[in-house]
Amino acid sequence: FVILFSSVISYAEESVNEGTTENADIDNINIAQIIQILKDPVQKKIIEQNLDKFQLPEGIKTLFGNDKVNLELRLDNGDIEKIYINAIDGKIKELSLGHRDEATISLKLGESTIKDLVNAKGKEDVKDILQSGDIEYKGETFFAKVKLFFLNIVKIVFLWFI
């Protein structure tokens, strides 16, 4: 998710800055700014026209590369933003504000959780984040529920060895 939005920010900045190639600093990512980019019709159109350039990272691609995800973000300022992501074959085909009924998976997490994941220094930090319960997920279809059931088992086993 963070890499996705870092890519969105980078591309929007490049477009707005008339072709400069400076990348967004992922450590200083500001989710509220990302939401504003998606709310701006001009920048949103630029992103929509170039979604084929955004690839999901391998780990996420393997797990959610063919899912439609409703994402609920709790921002640090108390606002809640809803984002819909449709991925096919590991590529983002649609990214928009709001939720859709056809989603296969729903995720809920906070802005601070995203920042914690970005700034995790090692396996112990990731383990703490996973155990905190700050990331909620729910399968919306039978197959998504089965997939998430097995992912939960893998997570439990993973936590034993960290």
Side-chain angles (χ1 to χ4, degrees), residues 35-46 97:
I35 301 299
Q36 291 306 322
I37 289 171
L38 290 174
K39 287 180 179 178
D40 181 307
V42 173
Q43 291 183 10
K44 185 176 187 288
K45 186 172 182 171
I46 292 168
L97 292 175

mmCIF file of all heavy atoms in Angstrom, residues 35-46 97:
data_model
loop_
_atom_site.group_PDB
_atom_site.id
_atom_site.type_symbol
_atom_site.label_atom_id
_atom_site.label_comp_id
_atom_site.label_asym_id
_atom_site.label_seq_id
_atom_site.Cartn_x
_atom_site.Cartn_y
_atom_site.Cartn_z
ATOM 1 N N ILE A 35 -4.453 11.637 -0.316
ATOM 2 C CA ILE A 35 -5.909 11.740 -0.454
ATOM 3 C C ILE A 35 -6.255 13.000 -1.247
ATOM 4 O O ILE A 35 -7.124 12.971 -2.128
ATOM 5 C CB ILE A 35 -6.594 11.757 0.930
ATOM 6 C CG1 ILE A 35 -6.270 10.476 1.717
ATOM 7 C CG2 ILE A 35 -8.093 11.972 0.798
ATOM 8 C CD1 ILE A 35 -6.716 9.196 1.081
ATOM 9 N N GLN A 36 -5.561 14.105 -0.958
ATOM 10 C CA GLN A 36 -5.815 15.343 -1.691
ATOM 11 C C GLN A 36 -5.490 15.185 -3.173
ATOM 12 O O GLN A 36 -6.191 15.727 -4.023
ATOM 13 C CB GLN A 36 -5.029 16.514 -1.082
ATOM 14 C CG GLN A 36 -5.517 16.936 0.288
ATOM 15 C CD GLN A 36 -7.005 17.249 0.305
ATOM 16 O OE1 GLN A 36 -7.557 17.814 -0.622
ATOM 17 N NE2 GLN A 36 -7.665 16.856 1.387
ATOM 18 N N ILE A 37 -4.431 14.450 -3.491
ATOM 19 C CA ILE A 37 -4.090 14.188 -4.891
ATOM 20 C C ILE A 37 -5.238 13.442 -5.565
ATOM 21 O O ILE A 37 -5.644 13.770 -6.673
ATOM 22 C CB ILE A 37 -2.773 13.389 -5.006
ATOM 23 C CG1 ILE A 37 -1.585 14.288 -4.633
ATOM 24 C CG2 ILE A 37 -2.595 12.794 -6.407
ATOM 25 C CD1 ILE A 37 -0.272 13.562 -4.510
ATOM 26 N N LEU A 38 -5.787 12.431 -4.875
ATOM 27 C CA LEU A 38 -6.890 11.660 -5.457
ATOM 28 C C LEU A 38 -8.171 12.484 -5.570
ATOM 29 O O LEU A 38 -9.018 12.196 -6.416
ATOM 30 C CB LEU A 38 -7.147 10.398 -4.628
ATOM 31 C CG LEU A 38 -6.061 9.330 -4.707
ATOM 32 C CD1 LEU A 38 -6.356 8.201 -3.730
ATOM 33 C CD2 LEU A 38 -5.919 8.797 -6.116
ATOM 34 N N LYS A 39 -8.314 13.512 -4.732
ATOM 35 C CA LYS A 39 -9.504 14.367 -4.791
ATOM 36 C C LYS A 39 -9.395 15.435 -5.871
ATOM 37 O O LYS A 39 -10.397 15.969 -6.310
ATOM 38 C CB LYS A 39 -9.742 15.040 -3.428
ATOM 39 C CG LYS A 39 -10.259 14.084 -2.382
ATOM 40 C CD LYS A 39 -10.490 14.781 -1.058
ATOM 41 C CE LYS A 39 -11.042 13.821 -0.020
ATOM 42 N NZ LYS A 39 -11.240 14.459 1.284
ATOM 43 N N ASP A 40 -8.187 15.741 -6.313
ATOM 44 C CA ASP A 40 -7.975 16.751 -7.339
ATOM 45 C C ASP A 40 -8.263 16.124 -8.710
ATOM 46 O O ASP A 40 -7.567 15.185 -9.127
ATOM 47 C CB ASP A 40 -6.528 17.243 -7.285
ATOM 48 C CG ASP A 40 -6.234 18.321 -8.305
ATOM 49 O OD1 ASP A 40 -6.518 18.110 -9.509
ATOM 50 O OD2 ASP A 40 -5.705 19.370 -7.903
ATOM 51 N N PRO A 41 -9.285 16.612 -9.428
ATOM 52 C CA PRO A 41 -9.670 15.986 -10.703
ATOM 53 C C PRO A 41 -8.550 15.940 -11.741
ATOM 54 O O PRO A 41 -8.436 14.964 -12.472
ATOM 55 C CB PRO A 41 -10.823 16.857 -11.200
ATOM 56 C CG PRO A 41 -11.282 17.648 -10.029
ATOM 57 C CD PRO A 41 -10.138 17.740 -9.079
ATOM 58 N N VAL A 42 -7.713 16.957 -11.793
ATOM 59 C CA VAL A 42 -6.642 16.991 -12.787
ATOM 60 C C VAL A 42 -5.596 15.929 -12.467
ATOM 61 O O VAL A 42 -5.213 15.133 -13.339
ATOM 62 C CB VAL A 42 -5.984 18.396 -12.845
ATOM 63 C CG1 VAL A 42 -4.768 18.392 -13.744
ATOM 64 C CG2 VAL A 42 -7.003 19.430 -13.298
ATOM 65 N N GLN A 43 -5.144 15.885 -11.213
ATOM 66 C CA GLN A 43 -4.133 14.899 -10.836
ATOM 67 C C GLN A 43 -4.701 13.482 -10.878
ATOM 68 O O GLN A 43 -4.014 12.545 -11.279
ATOM 69 C CB GLN A 43 -3.569 15.226 -9.460
ATOM 70 C CG GLN A 43 -2.737 16.489 -9.467
ATOM 71 C CD GLN A 43 -2.110 16.801 -8.123
ATOM 72 O OE1 GLN A 43 -2.130 15.991 -7.211
ATOM 73 N NE2 GLN A 43 -1.549 17.982 -8.004
ATOM 74 N N LYS A 44 -5.964 13.327 -10.492
ATOM 75 C CA LYS A 44 -6.603 12.007 -10.532
ATOM 76 C C LYS A 44 -6.662 11.496 -11.966
ATOM 77 O O LYS A 44 -6.398 10.324 -12.226
ATOM 78 C CB LYS A 44 -8.002 12.054 -9.927
ATOM 79 C CG LYS A 44 -8.665 10.694 -9.843
ATOM 80 C CD LYS A 44 -10.008 10.790 -9.146
ATOM 81 C CE LYS A 44 -10.613 9.444 -8.890
ATOM 82 N NZ LYS A 44 -11.105 8.752 -10.033
ATOM 83 N N LYS A 45 -6.970 12.373 -12.906
ATOM 84 C CA LYS A 45 -7.027 11.972 -14.312
ATOM 85 C C LYS A 45 -5.644 11.534 -14.805
ATOM 86 O O LYS A 45 -5.518 10.542 -15.521
ATOM 87 C CB LYS A 45 -7.564 13.112 -15.170
ATOM 88 C CG LYS A 45 -7.780 12.713 -16.602
ATOM 89 C CD LYS A 45 -8.485 13.787 -17.389
ATOM 90 C CE LYS A 45 -8.690 13.274 -18.804
ATOM 91 N NZ LYS A 45 -9.535 14.118 -19.597
ATOM 92 N N ILE A 46 -4.605 12.260 -14.406
ATOM 93 C CA ILE A 46 -3.237 11.888 -14.779
ATOM 94 C C ILE A 46 -2.914 10.501 -14.235
ATOM 95 O O ILE A 46 -2.356 9.660 -14.934
ATOM 96 C CB ILE A 46 -2.225 12.930 -14.249
ATOM 97 C CG1 ILE A 46 -2.399 14.257 -14.991
ATOM 98 C CG2 ILE A 46 -0.791 12.419 -14.388
ATOM 99 C CD1 ILE A 46 -1.659 15.422 -14.356
ATOM 100 N N LEU A 97 -11.385 7.069 -4.826
ATOM 101 C CA LEU A 97 -11.925 7.307 -3.492
ATOM 102 C C LEU A 97 -13.278 6.626 -3.389
ATOM 103 O O LEU A 97 -14.007 6.507 -4.368
ATOM 104 C CB LEU A 97 -12.064 8.802 -3.236
ATOM 105 C CG LEU A 97 -10.745 9.568 -3.126
ATOM 106 C CD1 LEU A 97 -11.007 11.060 -2.990
ATOM 107 C CD2 LEU A 97 -9.924 9.073 -1.946
#
